[in-house]
Amino acid sequence: MDNPTTNFDVLVVGAGPAGIAAATRAAEGGLKVGIVDDNAASGGQIWRESREEHTAEAKAWGDRLRSARVLTLFGMRVFDQPRANVLLAEQHAEVRELNYGKLILATGARERFLPFPGWTLPNVVGAGGLQALVKSGLPIEGRRVVVAGTGPLLLAVAAYLRKKGAKVPMICEQASWHALARFGVGLLRFPGKISQAVMLRRDLSGIAIATKSWVAEAHGSFKLESVTISRSGNLERLACDYLACGFHLTPNTELPILLGCEIRDGNVKVDDFQQTNVMGVFCAGEPVGVGGVDAALIDGQIAGLAAAGRTKEARALFSARRSARRFAAALERACRLRRELKELPTPETMVCRCEDIPYSRLQQHHSWRAAKLHTRCGMGPCQGRVCGPATQFLFDWNPESVRPPVFPVRVESLASTTAEQ
């Protein structure tokens, strides 16, 4: 099998806001820079819109990325590191070897899902997942969509879906009104966030926003038909066509862990210049702490500048990063998951959807490793990306290791890497 090799001074994994900023700033320093992402285009989940819908900020960074002559490797998924300074990526029927001097990991985050009765029904989807489907052409006009979970993504998704013609009867936020009010007062320190919040609230005018509320059960024979909402301790049932549900975000740390990066409190540990404990490996954006676009762009710029040796320019961004991280910390406190959510699964509720492992079977084990060995929990196609964070919340389990391939790949791809070693 052909195994094309590409060499870079700096390689960036992930083409969301953090990766775009990192690649751009590194390339502007005259280095040969590549950016690899498994999506067909740059932007990640947050900037996934069509070009006509791009924000001015997204368009500006996209133009800057192209002007910097960064080599883009899209539709390509990194799955292994066979040796130092080399990553392997799969694209269709091809495995490509990516050599680098320095590496910037901007692998982003994914939605956190928590199991409850009926969450495996068709049309029960992640909030961001439904938004992505609609952006890709799923018709939503006239459909009733309940949006539930926690975090600002719920509001953004609800506003987007309404703009596309969906009917949103309710947004269910598990945080209390007190926690959200305290967070709102804290926005006084971030004028830009206040204006964003005002615009978002205007877009959501007329939609009920219920705090201290969550989905207790989803109902339907062959697909979703209605949901039971726990609202301040009272149950009520809402008819709907879709449930967009997500409990904030969890960082994608599988590749950093595989490379030996230190993890602290669920995030990749970095120094002032976004460098990890692995020499020459930097990390930016959500893997170092979920903080949104502003934090991701600043992290990415610092990482790109530092990788290019432009530390003085990177240091000039430290103050802005501190401010962005303060906002992220306040958001994390406001969206802290309630203990009541641990009581939602029944013994029959599936927790590992890939391997059909119910809650009752997992209760018999004391660790993630034991559950994997005895039930195959986390060993299906998603490789624990859904059930891992769920069991971490439900049972306080933590993954003990990450082994290649980081993502499911073709047998031929695995065979080629074995032959090389």
Side-chain angles (χ1 to χ4, degrees):
M1 174 185 291
D2 291 335
N3 192 1
T5 300
T6 308
N7 300 293
F8 300 100
D9 297 318
V10 177
L11 177 65
V12 180
V13 180
I20 291 172
T24 299
R25 297 309 299 264
E28 288 174 345
L31 301 181
K32 181 181 180 182
V33 179
I35 186 167
V36 56
D37 195 287
D38 59 354
N39 288 301
S42 63
Q45 296 303 314
I46 193 67
W47 285 346
R48 195 181 177 122
E49 300 96 335
S50 65
R51 292 191 181 277
E52 291 76 16
E53 293 176 313
H54 272 168
T55 64
E57 184 176 48
K59 185 178 185 305
W61 275 105
D63 292 343
R64 193 169 171 181
L65 178 73
R66 287 185 286 275
S67 297
R69 299 184 181 279
V70 174
L71 179 61
T72 56
L73 304 168
F74 295 144
M76 187 176 295
R77 176 172 282 181
V78 173
F79 68 90
D80 194 9
Q81 183 191 44
R83 56 188 181 278
N85 295 87
V86 177
L87 294 178
L88 293 180
E90 182 184 71
Q91 184 181 43
H92 306 305
E94 178 183 71
V95 174
R96 182 170 296 191
E97 186 176 279
L98 307 176
N99 296 328
Y100 60 86
K102 293 182 179 176
L103 178 67
I104 301 175
L105 302 173
T107 47
R110 60 187 182 273
E111 290 183 89
R112 180 191 287 118
F113 302 106
L114 299 180
F116 52 83
W119 78 301
T120 58
L121 278 170
N123 291 355
V124 177
V125 294
L130 182 57
Q131 184 181 37
L133 287 171
V134 174
K135 289 178 180 179
S136 299
L138 177 72
I140 202 70
E141 186 173 359
R143 302 299 178 92
R144 299 163 299 178
V145 184
V146 173
V147 180
T150 196
L153 178 62
L154 302 183
L155 305 181
V157 168
Y160 180 84
L161 295 177
R162 176 192 243 187
K163 179 182 176 183
K164 295 298 180 180
K167 298 177 181 178
V168 183
M170 184 178 294
I171 301 171
C172 300
E173 166 60 63
Q174 63 92 41
S176 67
W177 175 251
H178 176 73
L180 296 180
R182 186 170 55 210
F183 174 70
V185 171
L187 288 181
L188 294 174
R189 294 180 296 170
F190 308 98
K193 299 294 184 182
I194 293 177
S195 62
Q196 292 176 20
V198 170
M199 292 175 61
L200 193 56
R201 192 66 187 92
R202 181 197 62 198
D203 293 340
L204 296 171
S205 177
I207 297 178
I209 301 178
T211 58
K212 202 176 177 182
S213 303
W214 53 85
V215 175
E217 187 171 358
H219 311 277
S221 299
F222 301 102
K223 64 178 181 179
L224 179 70
E225 297 171 1
S226 64
V227 294
T228 294
I229 302 297
S230 175
R231 187 175 184 182
S232 298
N234 299 311
L235 298 180
E236 59 183 274
R237 194 153 170 165
L238 294 175
C240 59
D241 301 300
Y242 286 93
L243 169 61
C245 192
F247 293 88
H248 204 31
L249 302 174
T250 184
N252 293 323
T253 56
E254 291 81 9
L255 183 57
I257 292 174
L258 179 68
L259 299 181
C261 299
E262 181 180 350
I263 305 295
R264 178 176 295 179
D265 298 326
N267 300 316
V268 179
K269 182 184 176 184
V270 294
D271 65 13
D272 288 345
F273 293 99
Q274 303 292 142
Q275 180 162 279
T276 71
N277 60 299
V278 180
M279 187 62 64
V281 177
F282 300 77
C283 191
E286 313 293 37
V288 303
V290 175
V293 174
D294 293 343
L297 287 171
I298 297 168
D299 284 355
Q301 291 185 75
I302 292 174
L305 290 167
R310 298 156 63 190
T311 55
K312 184 176 180 180
E313 293 174 73
R315 196 181 297 276
L317 295 169
F318 284 6
S319 177
R321 182 180 57 190
R322 283 193 295 271
S323 177
R325 286 297 163 193
R326 282 196 297 269
F327 173 79
L331 178 61
E332 188 67 27
R333 288 192 296 271
C335 297
R336 186 171 291 119
L337 298 179
R338 308 176 65 86
R339 292 192 60 82
E340 293 96 321
L341 300 176
K342 294 187 177 186
E343 301 169 4
L344 291 179
T346 64
E348 299 79 20
T349 302
M350 292 297 170
V351 176
C352 177
R353 302 174 64 153
C354 297
E355 297 294 326
D356 292 335
I357 311 300
Y359 183 68
S360 58
R361 287 190 63 191
L362 296 178
Q363 285 180 301
Q364 303 171 24
H365 304 287
H366 64 277
S367 70
W368 174 249
R369 178 177 174 80
K372 288 183 70 174
L373 289 173
H374 291 92
T375 71
R376 289 188 54 83
C377 178
M379 297 180 70
C382 88
Q383 290 291 285
R385 283 174 172 76
V386 175
C387 60
T391 57
Q392 189 174 32
F393 173 70
L394 294 172
F395 304 114
D396 296 321
W397 292 347
N398 286 302
E400 297 169 3
S401 65
V402 173
R403 298 180 180 179
V406 177
F407 294 98
V409 295
R410 298 162 57 253
V411 172
E412 291 89 340
S413 298
L414 290 177
S416 70
T417 64
T418 302
E420 289 175 6
Q421 296 173 11

